[in-house]
Amino acid sequence: MRMLLGRWLRVLLGVVLGSLAAPVELAFVVMGGLWLLATLVQRAGAGSPVFRGARWLAEAGRRRAATWYGAELDVPRADRFAFAYLSLRWALGAFSGAVLLVALVGAGYASFLVWGWFVLSDMSHPGDVLLSALGGLFLLFLAVQGVYGIGLLDAQLAKRFLGPSDRELLKVRIGELSASRAGVVEAVHDERRRIERDLHDGVQQRLVALGMLLGRSRRTSDPEKAGKLLIQAHEETQRALAELREVAWRVYPVALDEVGLTAALETVAERAGIPVRLTCELPREPTTVIQTVAYFVVAEAVTNAAKHSGATLVTVRVVRQGIMVVVRIEDNGSGGADPTGGGLLGLARRVAALDGQFTVDSPVAGPTVIIAELPCE
């Protein structure tokens, strides 16, 4: 309720400022239009003082829409768009002034129910006062709805003339897709290098040691020594298998396909080495791609907290909010995590590939909060 009231008050202030700007915009459009017709400067383009003034007033309208309506807009695309915006904006501003006046009248009639009894000492028809107050309340309600609607129209008008064109939006989207594709390719290369390093430094070394133990057992003529070497070889085989399972789990956890995201995250919590408080509230399982990215975000964040932050508790929360799956990981460690580091940067690229948002808040002395928002239709 408080957020709704705050939103309406912001829109109200924006409408009030828009109505106050309407006379200035009308005077500018009339005088500027006559001057352009008289001098035919509309063919000259951006050098016209009228166009420069229109751009300045349109910029003021853009800032008002961004501040009070929350409409994020670019600067006006061209001077003719700015002048066209003002040519329509003044009418909406004048209409908003009329609606605000109606709202004041309605508020006055509605408040008459409170103070009218004391002003009118000779009250021969009290029913008229009651009906007038009820009519004022109804008029005030309609005016309030009208103010909010005008705010929406004002924001849409600003978006139509001052926002980016479809072509510009398409160019921005192409740039985003190109960047995310490059990020995905780089993330795949990083993942390959990490897997190669894990195999080389872990499993390969175990297999080399296993081969040496078996070779020594074959060459020795002492049965007792050969038996001990075979026991060591068997133990090395178990360690090699354990490391191979670790590598395979980091490449892709089979539990995602077998038992779902919640169970896979529970396994991450069990293997973390520090206490992990896990909450997974998903009414239904998201797609496999979403589950995979969510899993790796949690696994990498928990691993970083256990290895580098000195945390004693990690809180993981995975919930569905509208069309988004929100993954939030917080630890009570020392903070100072670098978002451009290899692991976190790879996660950011994974999330960006799905048109998601990835944020890292890790001040010195902590806590570290990592949030991934993944679109899930």
Side-chain angles (χ1 to χ4, degrees):
M1 182 64 182
R2 183 180 301 176
M3 293 181 60
L4 182 62
L5 181 60
R7 167 66 177 169
W8 188 87
L9 288 177
R10 291 176 66 87
V11 172
L12 174 62
L13 288 173
V15 171
V16 170
L17 293 176
S19 64
L20 294 177
V24 178
E25 294 168 346
L26 174 59
F28 179 84
V29 168
V30 172
M31 296 176 62
L34 292 176
W35 191 81
L36 289 175
L37 288 175
T39 60
L40 297 179
V41 179
Q42 72 271 23
R43 297 179 182 177
S48 168
V50 172
F51 284 152
R52 291 199 300 270
R55 194 177 184 86
W56 185 84
L57 288 175
E59 173 64 17
R62 183 191 69 82
R63 292 181 179 178
R64 178 171 52 82
T67 302
W68 303 110
Y69 305 144
E72 295 297 332
L73 305 171
D74 295 330
V75 296
R77 297 192 298 269
D79 295 319
R80 60 187 182 90
F81 286 105
F83 194 82
Y85 166 73
L86 295 176
S87 300
L88 297 176
R89 230 300 310 170
W90 75 264
L92 184 60
F95 183 65
S96 65
V99 173
L100 291 172
L101 181 61
V102 171
L104 291 176
V105 172
Y109 273 102
S111 64
F112 190 67
L113 185 63
V114 177
W115 56 268
W117 312 101
F118 305 99
V119 175
L120 301 178
S121 58
D122 185 14
M123 187 70 66
S124 57
H125 299 286
D128 293 343
V129 176
L130 182 61
L131 289 176
S132 298
L134 292 177
L137 285 173
F138 183 69
L139 186 62
L140 179 61
F141 173 77
L142 293 180
V144 167
Q145 297 298 318
V147 168
Y148 196 82
I150 288 174
L152 295 178
L153 285 176
D154 202 358
Q156 290 297 322
L157 185 66
K159 288 180 180 180
R160 170 64 180 83
F161 287 96
L162 306 183
S165 64
D166 293 340
R167 184 182 181 87
E168 291 169 337
L169 288 175
L170 184 59
K171 290 174 65 177
V172 171
R173 183 58 178 162
I174 291 174
E176 292 175 349
L177 291 175
S178 299
S180 64
R181 183 186 63 181
V184 170
V185 172
E186 187 63 29
V188 170
H189 288 326
D190 290 342
E191 192 70 15
R192 284 179 173 176
R193 286 192 289 267
R194 185 185 64 80
I195 294 171
E196 190 276 335
R197 185 170 58 250
D198 290 344
L199 292 175
H200 180 272
D201 297 341
V203 179
Q204 180 174 311
Q205 299 301 321
R206 296 290 182 190
L207 294 178
V208 170
L210 175 62
M212 293 175 64
L213 289 171
L214 292 175
R216 289 175 59 190
S217 67
R218 289 181 59 187
R219 288 191 299 270
T220 185
S221 58
D222 186 353
E224 182 178 355
K225 185 177 180 180
K228 292 180 180 180
L229 290 173
L230 288 175
I231 292 175
Q232 294 179 24
H234 181 264
E235 294 174 351
E236 198 68 32
T237 303
Q238 298 302 314
R239 286 191 286 267
L241 288 175
E243 290 200 12
L244 188 59
R245 280 193 295 268
E246 287 286 338
V247 173
W249 184 270
R250 289 194 293 267
V251 172
Y252 184 82
V254 182
L256 280 179
D257 294 332
E258 295 179 348
V259 291
L261 178 61
T262 302
L265 294 181
E266 290 174 351
T267 304
V268 172
E270 293 171 359
R271 298 155 61 98
I274 59 175
V276 176
R277 186 180 300 157
L278 173 64
T279 303
C280 191
E281 299 174 352
L282 297 174
R284 62 179 183 276
E285 291 287 352
T287 61
T288 303
V289 176
I290 299 295
Q291 292 187 62
T292 303
V293 174
Y295 169 83
F296 279 110
V297 168
V298 173
E300 182 70 24
V302 171
T303 301
N304 287 345
K307 288 184 177 180
H308 309 298
S309 72
T312 58
L313 176 65
V314 179
T315 303
V316 178
R317 184 175 176 82
V318 183
V319 296
R320 180 76 177 263
Q321 294 181 0
I323 62 171
M324 308 293 287
V325 171
V326 180
V327 182
R328 187 179 189 275
I329 306 98
E330 179 178 354
D331 68 66
N332 61 354
S334 58
D338 183 9
T340 61
L344 293 179
L345 183 59
L347 294 181
R349 288 166 173 167
R350 284 179 181 266
V351 174
L354 299 180
D355 287 336
Q357 297 291 328
F358 184 80
T359 57
V360 178
D361 182 16
S362 184
V364 177
T368 297
V369 179
I370 298 174
I371 300 177
E373 299 176 88
L374 306 171
C376 182
E377 295 293 343

